Amino acid sequence: MGNQPIIELRAVTKSFGPVDVLKGVDFAAHAGRVTALVGDNGAGKSTLIKGLAGVQPYDGGEVLFEGERVHLGHPRDAAKHGIEVVYQDLALCDNLDIVQNMFLGREERRLGTFEEGQMEVEAAAALQSLSVKTVKSLRQKVSSLSGGQRQTVAIARAVVKQASVVILDEPTAALGVAQTAQVLALVRRLADHGVAVIMISHNLQDVFEVADDVSVLYLGTMTARVEVAKTTREDVVGYITGTKTMEAVA
C-alpha cells in the first residue's frame, strides 16, 4: 500500500480485570480502501472498535490519526477526528423519518428552530453521492424501510457528518441476497469517495467481494494483515482458527 494510514493503532492493549483482551495489537486503515476486520467470537474485534470509537479507551499503545498521535478517551474525541461507527443495531429511531434520523443529535438550527429544508437538501445530497436509488421519499418513517434501506440510512448518516473513517459492524447481518448486494455496493462507493472503511464481518464471501485489505484477530492478537488480492479464503480461515500464522504485512 505504501501511503500513510488515516488511522493506525500501534501495540494497543486492553484488559478487563485479569483478562487480557487486546495483547499489543497493530492495525491500520487507509483512505479510499475497505479494511475487513475478522476473527472468531471472543477474538477482540468489538473491544478494538470500541477503543477506536472512544467508548472504551485502550489501556496502552498508541493511536495515530493521519500520522499524529491522538487520544480517544471519549466518543467526542472520535467524532472530532471524523470517526463514525454504524453499529449492528443501527441506532435508528423507527418513529422518525429518514431526514430526522440522519441529523439526529446534530440538527441544523436557525433562530432556535430546525432548518428542515436545509437538512432535507443535505440528506438528499448524501444519498445521491452514494448513488442510492432504493429510497422513495426522504420523509418515509424508518419503521417502513427494509433492512437494506435501514442500513443505507445509517451509512448515509455518516456521510452527512463528513466522516473520514466509517466503522461498519456486520453491515449485512440478517439481510437477504439482493439487499446484501446493495449494501456491499454502497460500502464500495463509500470507500471510492475517499473514506477509510473498516468492516467487521463473519461473512468471508462479503469480505472477498468488497474489501481491499483484511486484518485477522485471534485471541487478542493480530495474526494477519494482508491485501485481499494476495490471500485466499482458506488462508483467512486458517488465521481465524489459529491454525495458520503469517508475518504481518503493512
Side-chain angles (χ1 to χ4, degrees):
M1 286 170 276
N3 60 319
Q4 182 184 76
I6 192 166
I7 193 81
E8 184 177 7
L9 306 179
R10 294 180 180 174
V12 296
T13 60
K14 183 67 179 179
S15 300
F16 296 98
V19 181
D20 296 328
V21 181
L22 298 178
K23 307 169 184 176
V25 171
D26 294 337
F27 176 77
H30 293 73
R33 296 178 72 86
V34 179
T35 301
L37 179 62
V38 302
D40 215 342
N41 292 333
K45 302 186 303 297
S46 294
T47 302
L48 187 75
I49 292 311
K50 287 176 180 176
L52 276 173
V55 176
Q56 291 177 342
Y58 304 120
D59 295 333
E62 290 183 318
V63 181
L64 284 78
F65 185 82
E66 295 183 335
E68 298 291 328
R69 187 171 180 177
V70 297
H71 177 64
L72 302 178
H74 190 277
R76 283 192 299 267
D77 299 327
K80 182 176 69 176
H81 293 292
I83 301 171
E84 296 288 338
V85 185
V86 180
Y87 292 104
Q88 195 168 340
D89 64 6
L90 302 182
L92 298 176
C93 295
D94 284 351
N95 61 318
L96 299 181
D97 64 32
I98 291 172
V99 176
Q100 291 168 327
N101 268 280
M102 287 175 67
F103 283 88
L104 191 62
R106 58 177 299 275
E107 291 84 359
E108 301 278 358
R109 298 171 186 265
R110 185 171 182 271
L111 301 178
T113 60
F114 291 162
E115 286 276 26
E116 294 286 351
Q118 181 62 30
M119 289 190 290
E120 189 166 325
V121 168
E122 291 181 26
L127 291 169
Q128 185 176 17
S129 74
L130 294 170
S131 301
V132 173
K133 299 176 181 176
T134 57
V135 174
K136 294 179 181 178
S137 168
L138 291 172
R139 292 303 178 179
Q140 280 181 270
K141 290 286 194 292
V142 163
S143 59
S144 71
L145 301 179
S146 68
Q149 289 171 324
R150 291 166 69 92
Q151 186 67 250
T152 295
V153 171
I155 293 173
R157 182 169 57 189
V159 173
V160 162
K161 293 181 179 180
Q162 298 183 323
S164 54
V165 179
V166 175
I167 302 167
L168 305 173
D169 184 11
E170 299 285 355
T172 62
L175 296 184
V177 174
Q179 292 183 344
T180 293
Q182 290 170 2
V183 170
L184 291 180
L186 187 62
V187 171
R188 187 66 259 168
R189 287 196 292 272
L190 192 60
D192 290 344
H193 278 69
V195 176
V197 180
I198 300 171
M199 183 177 77
I200 303 172
S201 181
H202 281 96
N203 189 320
L204 291 187
Q205 180 174 334
D206 290 355
V207 169
F208 275 80
E209 182 170 337
V210 77
D212 300 293
D213 312 300
V214 59
S215 292
V216 186
L217 275 171
Y218 175 73
L219 298 179
T221 300
M222 192 65 75
T223 59
R225 292 168 57 201
V226 66
E227 292 183 48
V228 169
K230 296 180 180 178
T231 190
T232 65
R233 292 192 198 189
E234 291 73 20
D235 282 346
V236 173
V237 169
Y239 304 139
I240 291 172
T241 57
T243 60
K244 186 178 180 65
T245 59
M246 67 168 289
E247 192 72 27
V249 177

